[in-house]
Amino acid sequence: MAKGKRAGERKQIGEWEWNSTVLWSKIVKTDADSCWAWLGSVGPQTNLFGGRRKGQAQMTQARRILYRDVFNEDCDDKQIKHSCGNAFCMNWQHFVVRPNQRKYYLDGELRGTRVKPDKTIGLTRAKLVPVRQERWWNV
């Protein structure tokens, strides 16, 4: 076995490649309705898992790799949230999958309907009048 390689089932979907055996070894499954605990690396707001993207090692949200592993489809254009509200939950039945809002708006479907702020309304520097501050010792 090459240095740095772990034994286990390697999967690849889209640009991502990961070790499925290592992924599932870091998840503590309880009953189907409850949250499943993540034992792997965590960041400030989410759980992290290492994979390879375009052949380069990269950390990503573990729930994104789990989504690829369970559903065998790419999720680069999707947001994956939790219905339980637990950011560290790994129960894929708690995932709420939506289209990525940024991509959805930037694709042009809604580009023309967004409200753009009118920068001409409001105060300009020429309209500002300096306010003299009254001080108690000047009274």
Side-chain angles (χ1 to χ4, degrees):
M1 185 183 314
K3 184 178 179 183
K5 299 271 186 183
R6 288 190 182 180
E9 181 186 2
R10 299 200 62 82
K11 287 192 175 181
Q12 181 175 4
I13 294 177
E15 300 175 337
W16 285 92
E17 178 185 349
W18 67 95
N19 191 327
S20 183
T21 308
V22 173
L23 174 70
W24 285 100
S25 71
K26 296 178 183 294
I27 298 172
V28 177
K29 295 190 285 184
T30 53
D31 56 323
D33 295 334
S34 65
C35 292
W36 297 349
W38 173 251
L39 298 179
S41 178
V42 295
Q45 298 175 349
T46 187
N47 41 21
L48 299 171
F49 186 73
R52 297 186 72 77
R53 183 176 185 198
K54 298 180 183 177
Q56 299 292 321
Q58 184 173 346
M59 297 293 278
T60 187
Q61 295 172 344
R63 65 177 173 254
R64 298 186 72 78
I65 296 290
L66 182 65
Y67 181 87
R68 288 178 178 96
D69 197 71
V70 171
F71 296 106
N72 288 323
E73 64 181 54
D74 204 5
C75 61
D76 285 341
D77 59 344
K78 297 179 175 108
Q79 282 183 344
I80 302 174
K81 303 284 185 178
H82 294 91
S83 62
C84 59
N86 180 2
F88 300 98
C89 174
M90 291 300 288
N91 188 342
W92 55 269
Q93 294 173 349
H94 293 184
F95 290 171
V96 177
V97 182
R98 296 184 213 146
N100 190 341
Q101 294 298 315
R102 180 172 168 78
K103 183 169 178 49
Y104 182 63
Y105 281 112
L106 296 180
D107 276 347
E109 184 174 336
L110 294 177
R111 186 178 294 169
T113 61
R114 285 194 290 178
V115 177
K116 295 180 181 175
D118 187 359
K119 294 182 180 178
T120 61
I121 298 174
L123 297 176
T124 60
R125 191 178 271 303
K127 293 181 185 176
L128 292 177
V129 178
V131 177
R132 184 166 184 235
Q133 195 173 14
E134 295 290 330
R135 292 190 174 92
W136 62 273
W137 61 82
N138 289 339
V139 180

